[in-house]
Amino acid sequence: MRKLFMLLFLLAISFSFAINVLIPVGPTVVAFVGLLEKKVSSEVELKIDFWRTLDQVSAQVAAKNVDLIVLPVSIGASLYSKGIDLKLAGVILWKAFYVVTKDFDLTDLKTLSGQEIYTPQGKGQTGDVLIRYSLEQVGLKPDIDVKIRYATPPEIVSLMSAGKVRVAVLPEPFVTLALKQAQSRIEYDLQELWSNYTQLPARVPITGLFVTKNLDEATLYKAMTAIENSLRYAMENRHEAAALSVPYLGGMPAQIIEESLTRTLYEYKRANEVASEVIQYLKITQQVDPSAMPSIPDEKFFAF
């Protein structure tokens, strides 16, 4: 009995020191499935949970219920500018967005004049910023020369399958889903367009890992290393990672997830390594949509 009490006591201590990690419901789970399914080890206990809305994010951070949180980089920067206590520890997703078409001959971005493009979620989101910026570079005015419409990625794929959408910006794995279900095709890699117009690498700081508490440095580094290893596991073990991700992605076929990983780049880069790329992206987000990025964060935004 004494041994049982001791075991329960040790478990209670372990749980109380667990690092609470919040990740979004959706494709990002692929990068964490190695940890979720114990395929990747960690020197510290990570308790991974999911967020669905930004209101939930704000509430969790304000209540100090989370240590690390995964967010779109632009949203994290916007929250920081509003006084929310978080800092960017690293960027984890660099490549995911593509322009896809169905029954439309997109020979040049200028041929989108007078057309309608569907993009995910809403104004100021990554796909929206990338397509608006690209249109501006070829002399087209978004919302005037080209109508921008918003819907969720599954809705866009359904509309494209029904022949109601001809041009869309989608993230993976919905690009692959559109290829299979709507017989659409990829016209542009938006990361490549970004590189052409900015002279930066062909990658975009899409999603980041944010620190919301003053964790001791050793513990934080162990957590970051475990997450970095989980990202690497997903990229190097695509078949297994895809199969394990199916239950977390509403039953999306494993083949779709696996193929999508060939056009996705999860790679952990610490914030200070890529600070200039992040700031450049945020400045262009502000240029494209000032309401989404009212101010550019200062150097304290970067945890390292």
Side-chain angles (χ1 to χ4, degrees):
M1 183 62 75
R2 185 177 179 182
K3 289 182 177 179
L4 177 61
F5 282 137
M6 182 60 70
L7 177 61
L8 292 173
F9 177 70
L10 291 173
L11 286 173
I13 291 176
S14 173
F15 184 77
S16 66
F17 285 105
I19 305 299
N20 293 309
V21 184
L22 209 55
I23 68 174
V25 171
T28 305
V29 75
V30 178
F32 286 83
V33 78
L35 287 168
L36 287 165
E37 295 297 320
K38 309 299 183 189
K39 297 293 181 181
V40 174
S41 61
S42 172
E43 291 187 54
V44 290
E45 182 75 20
L46 298 178
K47 182 177 179 295
I48 300 175
D49 207 344
F50 301 90
W51 64 266
R52 294 179 181 277
T53 68
L54 289 181
D55 287 342
Q56 185 184 359
V57 169
S58 298
Q60 293 274 42
V61 173
K64 304 291 185 185
N65 288 334
V66 60
D67 301 293
L68 298 171
I69 187 166
V70 173
L71 292 167
V73 169
S74 58
I75 288 179
S78 179
L79 292 174
Y80 175 83
S81 70
K82 295 175 181 174
I84 302 294
D85 188 14
L86 49 73
K87 294 183 178 181
L88 181 65
V91 176
I92 65 169
L93 177 60
W94 292 93
K95 184 173 183 177
F97 284 91
Y98 296 84
V99 178
V100 296
T101 65
K102 178 180 173 64
D103 302 328
F104 184 81
D105 188 17
L106 183 55
T107 55
D108 183 279
L109 282 182
K110 291 181 180 178
T111 60
L112 289 171
S113 180
Q115 299 299 319
E116 189 176 68
I117 301 177
Y118 271 74
T119 71
Q121 309 303 343
K123 198 174 181 184
Q125 298 289 322
T126 308
D128 182 64
V129 169
L130 293 178
I131 191 61
R132 284 175 180 271
Y133 178 65
S134 298
L135 292 172
E136 288 174 355
Q137 300 312 300
V138 298
L140 295 177
K141 296 179 180 176
D143 299 323
I144 296 176
D145 299 321
V146 183
K147 294 180 180 177
I148 309 292
R149 305 295 190 201
Y150 302 105
T152 66
E155 288 171 337
I156 294 173
V157 174
S158 294
L159 289 169
M160 189 165 266
S161 298
K164 297 179 179 178
V165 168
R166 298 201 298 168
V167 185
V169 169
L170 284 170
E172 286 289 8
F174 298 100
V175 172
T176 304
L177 194 62
L179 298 182
K180 305 299 183 186
Q181 289 190 358
Q183 291 76 52
S184 63
R185 64 184 184 189
I186 296 174
E187 299 286 1
Y188 286 107
D189 176 334
L190 279 168
Q191 292 72 203
E192 292 287 346
L193 288 183
W194 169 263
S195 179
N196 291 342
Y197 297 136
T198 63
Q199 307 306 307
L200 292 169
R203 62 186 190 183
V204 177
I206 300 169
T207 305
L209 178 70
F210 292 84
V211 186
T212 64
K213 287 184 181 177
N214 293 320
L215 295 172
D216 72 86
E217 192 170 294
T219 301
L220 179 56
Y221 272 78
K222 288 176 182 176
M224 289 166 54
T225 298
I227 291 170
E228 182 176 359
N229 289 339
S230 189
L231 267 63
R232 188 178 299 113
Y233 163 81
M235 297 307 299
E236 294 178 355
N237 301 275
R238 294 170 184 167
H239 184 72
E240 186 174 67
L244 293 172
S245 299
V246 171
Y248 297 98
L249 294 177
M252 180 176 285
Q255 298 91 331
I256 298 287
I257 301 170
E258 183 177 356
E259 182 177 329
S260 77
L261 289 174
T262 64
R263 287 183 284 268
T264 305
L265 178 59
Y266 285 109
E267 185 176 27
Y268 195 97
K269 292 290 185 184
R270 292 189 177 175
N272 61 358
E273 295 178 56
V274 294
S276 62
E277 282 182 68
V278 171
I279 290 296
Q280 180 72 357
Y281 170 66
L282 296 178
K283 285 181 176 177
I284 288 176
T285 300
Q286 185 183 54
Q287 171 190 321
V288 168
D289 183 8
S291 65
M293 190 55 54
S295 62
I296 302 300
D298 57 24
E299 68 279 1
K300 294 179 182 176
F301 175 62
F302 301 96
F304 305 100

